[in-house]
Amino acid sequence: MQIIRHPAEMTAWAKEQAKAGHRIGLVPTMGFFHEGHLSLMRRAGQLADFVAVSLFVNPTQFGPQEDLAAYPRNFERDCAMVEAAGVSVLFAPIAAEMYPAGFSTTVAVGAELTGQLCGASRPGHFAGVATVVCKLFNIVQPDVAVFGQKDFQQLAVIRRMTADLNLGVEIVAHPIVREADGLAMSSRNTYLLPQQRESALSLSRALALARTIAAEGERSTERLTTVLRDFIHSFPETEVDYISFVHQDTLQQVAEIDEKTVIALAVKIGGRVRLIDNGLVL
Amino acid sequence: MQIIRHPAEMTAWAKEQAKAGHRIGLVPTMGFFHEGHLSLMRRAGQLADFVAVSLFVNPTQFGPQEDLAAYPRNFERDCAMVEAAGVSVLFAPIAAEMYPAGFSTTVAVGAELTGQLCGASRPGHFAGVATVVCKLFNIVQPDVAVFGQKDFQQLAVIRRMTADLNLGVEIVAHPIVREADGLAMSSRNTYLLPQQRESALSLSRALALARTIAAEGERSTERLTTVLRDFIHSFPETEVDYISFVHQDTLQQVAEIDEKTVIALAVKIGGRVRLIDNGLVL
């Protein structure tokens, strides 16, 4: 496996692959890999001849009060894991080459997709995501890119940006990978103290509860939201950021559940660890 | 010469050229061609194997009070002119394919480059320009793109955006092409009434005057601005939008002229026709 640090070198590799008629699959990540990431890489391997994984903790998608400095990192372990997953290139640029002096361009998707859910509590986050993914697509020139469905709003934003800017990259969504107890895998799970683990399960259990109640015939998202909020707050140290029922494509709030309704949750555990989860209700 | 209407078809043509190892040169335009455009196309022909010209009157770079509907158009004449100029492809998409329903992505360059000069009097203009040029680069996939130096701030914005988003396109600036009397060529010159032609010359003559005074030793941009404003307003029906002395790369205002100082002018003629011109002072 090649480790590439410089954008120009990454693009040179990509152009060689294109010339040889090889398809490139990209998995953009912020590192600190878990089984969720590895499943994205394996999926990319099924869809392309060569898989490139980008590892870049992108400063512009973190807010000033967020966990950029503390975000978990372990480069050596990450290298070993992607190598074992059959990845051809690990692209790990430094911030000064991604955002050199004078950098001043922003790619932003409109408020229809970015003004609610995580966009409401993390202003600027999705512009940071759209900008860095646009750059990564131009640097790595993939035919296909695989993203996890856990970052459900991010996926909608990237699909929109890719179509709108004619980036010509096929976007593939991969299902959420969970621990045996149902917790959605996330690099941020490592922030949880042992006694907070049970509270972190409030998200996936709230999804299950919503499905059970909906299966019994409930369609009102207002009534469901009240039940779920109480349910989540019955776990210690939990604070609901949002409980939203939205259309899977438009991300617009719905009053009544149907087959296209996704429930999306964000919960802060111990005032410190913000976790998200989501899924179709029916 | 091929006329291509659909973005996907344009990209298919571009990929074929790339596969064959051919270099593509792009000249993005809004049509209604004059000798200025043709010189850009000839320059592109020297730099690439095949030249593509895009013709798209981009609605998102016009303000609500601006001349989008009235912008001069003559598709048949334009086709004949580009064909004679040796262009391989004229890419002329319709707005509904460039901005389909649900479109919501904006590419914007920061206020350091877009907050002053034309950006001050045309809010949103440069975001419209950056977004459409980003799209055109992704659709046409040129190796090199040629822009006129008349749109001096546009050139700086596009250079910045191209570098920041790793678009991998070489940006070439082509000198301003002028009528015999000095008027910078522009599609908007066709708006001028015969009696306003003399007033339109106030721009190029003001540039010449600035150079004469600077050659005599004047370095204060404040004193020069006063002289030039009075000079331009001595022509009938003229109204200065801005007279700015800026660094050629950063576009930041300067108090004293040096070898990197560009004087940039925007003048409204008859309250209706807004013309621009620029050049190095020394």
Side-chain angles (χ1 to χ4, degrees):
Chain A
M1 185 188 69
Q2 260 183 281
I3 296 172
I4 296 182
R5 288 290 190 179
H6 305 293
E9 209 178 305
M10 185 68 237
T11 302
W13 180 88
K15 283 194 188 299
E16 248 174 67
Q17 301 310 320
K19 209 176 265 177
H22 296 148
R23 275 172 65 84
I24 299 173
L26 172 65
V27 181
T29 81
M30 301 208 300
F32 211 72
F33 298 132
H34 50 64
E35 179 55 30
H37 296 104
L38 298 179
S39 73
L40 302 181
M41 297 172 200
R42 286 191 294 266
R43 179 77 177 274
Q46 293 160 359
L47 299 166
D49 301 306
F50 292 98
V51 175
V53 170
S54 64
L55 191 173
F56 181 59
V57 182
N58 175 37
T60 70
Q61 71 193 66
F62 287 80
Q65 307 305 324
E66 291 183 5
D67 58 345
L68 172 62
Y71 197 84
R73 291 163 169 87
N74 189 337
F75 190 66
E76 269 181 64
R77 179 172 160 277
D78 281 350
C79 285
M81 286 174 82
V82 289
E83 178 135 39
V87 166
S88 299
V89 172
L90 181 65
F91 175 52
I94 59 166
E97 286 207 54
M98 290 293 275
Y99 303 111
F103 183 97
S104 90
T105 301
T106 304
V107 177
V109 171
E112 312 87 75
L113 292 181
T114 60
Q116 71 286 60
L117 305 176
C118 291
S121 45
R122 305 185 71 186
H125 170 68
F126 286 114
V129 168
T131 304
V132 80
V133 171
C134 179
K135 285 172 64 69
L136 288 169
F137 281 5
N138 289 329
I139 294 167
V140 182
Q141 305 182 2
D143 297 278
V144 57
V146 183
F147 291 86
Q149 210 131 26
K150 184 165 81 67
D151 296 297
F152 157 72
Q153 187 175 16
Q154 168 177 287
L155 192 59
V157 168
I158 288 168
R159 279 191 200 285
R160 182 81 258 168
M161 186 264 296
T162 303
D164 286 354
L165 298 184
N166 307 89
L167 291 169
V169 178
E170 183 192 351
I171 306 297
V172 170
H174 194 74
I176 297 176
V177 178
R178 298 180 180 280
E179 307 283 357
D181 58 8
L183 181 64
M185 290 196 185
S186 166
S187 304
R188 289 193 170 97
N189 291 347
T190 56
Y191 295 153
L192 294 167
L193 304 174
Q195 69 271 26
Q196 293 171 334
R197 172 76 188 201
E198 182 75 13
S199 292
L201 292 178
S202 63
L203 288 95
S204 56
R205 292 195 183 153
L207 292 187
L209 178 60
R211 288 184 181 124
T212 302
I213 301 173
E216 288 164 357
E218 178 63 85
R219 289 295 175 270
S220 157
T221 61
E222 195 185 333
R223 283 194 295 268
L224 270 165
T225 300
T226 305
V227 172
L228 295 179
R229 185 178 304 271
D230 290 346
F231 175 76
I232 292 170
H233 285 160
S234 74
F235 290 75
E237 298 189 70
T238 55
E239 191 196 327
V240 168
D241 179 2
Y242 61 75
I243 298 170
S244 286
F245 291 86
V246 298
H247 186 281
Q248 63 179 1
D249 302 321
T250 65
L251 305 197
Q252 295 311 295
Q253 299 248 12
V254 295
E256 303 276 318
I257 288 167
D258 66 22
E259 292 67 26
K260 307 242 173 208
T261 303
V262 165
I263 171 171
L265 304 173
V267 177
K268 256 193 175 167
I269 313 289
R272 226 176 85 258
V273 189
R274 187 176 172 283
L275 301 179
I276 58 176
D277 204 340
N278 70 80
L280 286 167
V281 186
L282 294 177
Chain B
M1 185 188 70
Q2 260 183 280
I3 297 172
I4 295 181
R5 289 288 189 179
H6 305 294
E9 209 178 306
M10 185 69 237
T11 302
W13 180 88
K15 284 197 186 296
E16 249 174 64
Q17 302 309 321
K19 210 176 265 177
H22 296 148
R23 275 171 64 85
I24 299 174
L26 172 66
V27 181
T29 80
M30 300 208 301
F32 211 72
F33 298 133
H34 50 65
E35 179 54 31
H37 296 104
L38 299 178
S39 73
L40 302 182
M41 297 172 200
R42 286 192 294 266
R43 180 76 178 275
Q46 292 160 0
L47 300 166
D49 302 306
F50 292 98
V51 175
V53 170
S54 63
L55 191 173
F56 182 58
V57 182
N58 175 36
T60 70
Q61 72 192 67
F62 288 81
Q65 307 305 324
E66 291 183 6
D67 59 346
L68 171 61
Y71 197 84
R73 291 162 168 90
N74 189 336
F75 189 67
E76 269 181 63
R77 178 172 162 276
D78 282 351
C79 285
M81 286 174 82
V82 289
E83 178 133 38
V87 166
S88 299
V89 172
L90 181 65
F91 175 53
I94 59 166
E97 285 207 55
M98 290 293 274
Y99 303 112
F103 183 96
S104 89
T105 302
T106 304
V107 178
V109 171
E112 314 87 74
L113 291 181
T114 59
Q116 71 287 63
L117 305 175
C118 291
S121 45
R122 305 185 71 186
H125 170 68
F126 285 114
V129 169
T131 305
V132 79
V133 171
C134 180
K135 284 173 65 68
L136 289 169
F137 282 4
N138 289 329
I139 294 167
V140 182
Q141 305 184 2
D143 298 277
V144 57
V146 184
F147 292 87
Q149 210 130 27
K150 184 166 81 68
D151 296 297
F152 156 72
Q153 187 174 14
Q154 168 177 286
L155 193 59
V157 169
I158 289 168
R159 279 192 200 284
R160 182 81 259 168
M161 187 265 296
T162 303
D164 285 355
L165 297 185
N166 307 89
L167 290 170
V169 178
E170 183 192 350
I171 306 297
V172 170
H174 194 74
I176 296 176
V177 179
R178 298 181 181 279
E179 307 282 356
D181 59 8
L183 179 65
M185 289 196 186
S186 166
S187 304
R188 289 193 170 95
N189 291 348
T190 56
Y191 295 152
L192 294 167
L193 303 174
Q195 68 271 24
Q196 292 170 334
R197 172 77 188 200
E198 183 75 12
S199 291
L201 292 177
S202 63
L203 287 95
S204 56
R205 292 196 183 152
L207 291 188
L209 178 61
R211 287 184 180 122
T212 302
I213 301 173
E216 288 164 357
E218 179 63 85
R219 290 294 176 270
S220 157
T221 61
E222 194 184 334
R223 283 194 295 269
L224 269 165
T225 300
T226 305
V227 171
L228 294 179
R229 185 178 302 272
D230 290 347
F231 175 76
I232 292 170
H233 285 159
S234 74
F235 290 76
E237 298 189 71
T238 55
E239 191 198 328
V240 168
D241 178 4
Y242 61 76
I243 299 170
S244 287
F245 292 86
V246 298
H247 186 282
Q248 62 178 2
D249 301 322
T250 66
L251 306 196
Q252 295 311 296
Q253 299 249 13
V254 295
E256 302 276 317
I257 288 166
D258 66 22
E259 291 69 26
K260 307 243 174 208
T261 303
V262 165
I263 171 172
L265 303 173
V267 178
K268 255 195 174 164
I269 313 290
R272 225 175 86 260
V273 188
R274 187 175 172 284
L275 301 179
I276 58 176
D277 204 341
N278 70 80
L280 286 166
V281 187
L282 294 177

